[in-house]
Structure formats: structure tokens, C-alpha cells
Amino acid sequence: MRIQVTIVAIGLALSGCSTVGGIPRGAGPAVSQGGPAAPETIISAMDGGLIGGSVGAGLSENDRRLALQAEYRALEHTAAGKAVDWQGSRGSGAVTASQPYRVGSQDCRQYTQAVNVGGQTRNARGTACRNPDGSWTPLT
């Protein structure tokens, strides 16, 4: 069991930080609402992401979690310009990340979060950089 965990960890470490053709290695097509969820530790490391700001006002805690998971999937797995949609009980939205770029040893991406609550759409923009553990840290 320990060997399997080590092999998976090494594979993730080797694939996580390099880019091929400007898309993070291992990136596939856009992941929709039903895509894989990020582990809790990675989501909590995002420190609320864009949805934690005023763009997320009026959303339930569950909606915020769905939006934050969409942010992670857009940053980690989705090609530039492809939206990752999410649908909650009080709101919905889409996250779109731009082409990754390198800052020192980190991959970074600019991204947008469009949130619709009560028929009104709010937009937020931000930048996040990928940490060695696979989490993304929003820049302020």
C-alpha cells in the first residue's frame, strides 16, 4: 500500500509543475460539473479563491464550494479559454482560465469567475500560482 501511494505521489510531482505547449501537463478537456473534485486540503489552500470576494455574495456555502471546485478544475485541468461551469441551489457560474505562464519555478494562470445570482451576473478576475503540492494560491 505504501509503495502504491509513493508511486502516485511521484507521478503527481513529476507531472504537476511542467508545461507542454502552454497547457499544464496532464490537462485534458474542460471538466463539467460532474468532474473530479479536488481534495479538501487543496480546496482550502485556495483561501476562498475569487468566489470568496464580493462576487460570491448571496451564495450558499455549498454554492461557494461548487464555485471553488470549478476554479480549481479550471486552473489545474482545463485548456486556456474553456469554461468550467457550475450550478448550485442559489446561483451558477463559469470559470475560465487563460494560458499558463511561468514565474520562477511556479506555473501561474489568470482566470475569471462569472457568477449569476438572482438573474444578475457578476464578474471577478484574478491570478493564481500552482504550489508543489498541487494547490493554487491566489495572488492579491
Side-chain angles (χ1 to χ4, degrees), residues 24-116:
R25 190 174 296 196
V31 179
S32 66
Q33 176 66 24
E40 279 302 309
T41 54
I42 290 177
I43 292 294
S44 64
M46 291 180 69
D47 195 30
L50 292 177
I51 202 68
S54 62
V55 72
L59 294 176
S60 69
E61 197 59 39
N62 187 58
D63 286 2
R64 286 177 185 265
R65 176 155 308 285
L66 292 171
L68 196 53
Q69 288 174 350
E71 286 186 26
Y72 172 79
R73 288 193 309 267
L75 293 167
E76 183 70 12
H77 299 292
T78 307
K82 301 290 182 185
V84 175
D85 298 322
W86 60 272
Q87 176 68 52
S89 60
R90 294 186 188 164
S92 61
V95 183
T96 306
S98 66
Q99 194 72 13
Y101 60 93
R102 207 85 155 123
V103 175
S105 63
Q106 287 185 299
D107 288 326
C108 299
R109 295 181 90 171
Q110 294 180 343
Y111 66 113
T112 60
Q113 170 80 264
V115 178
N116 186 306

